[in-house]
Amino acid sequence: MIVLGIILLIIGLLTGIAVLWTIGIVLLAIGAVLWALGATGHAVAGRRHFY
């Protein structure tokens, strides 16, 4: 998500499309939060495994 957010930010900046810029910021923020939660050891949208 972080990479997609950065790509959309760059495309939005180069083309001047504000919607891409906004979506890029949102994806970048969500990706950063999910990355931070994953780095601290919290399961994000984890599944239960019944072994």
Side-chain angles (χ1 to χ4, degrees):
M1 261 195 212
I2 294 174
V3 174
L4 183 60
I6 291 171
I7 291 171
L8 287 176
L9 279 173
I10 293 170
I11 292 173
L13 180 67
L14 293 176
T15 60
I17 301 174
V19 174
L20 290 179
W21 181 259
T22 304
I23 294 172
I25 291 173
V26 170
L27 283 178
L28 191 64
I30 292 172
V33 167
L34 290 176
W35 174 72
L37 286 175
T40 59
H42 291 290
V44 179
R47 294 188 178 112
R48 290 187 178 185
H49 298 284
F50 298 103
Y51 293 120

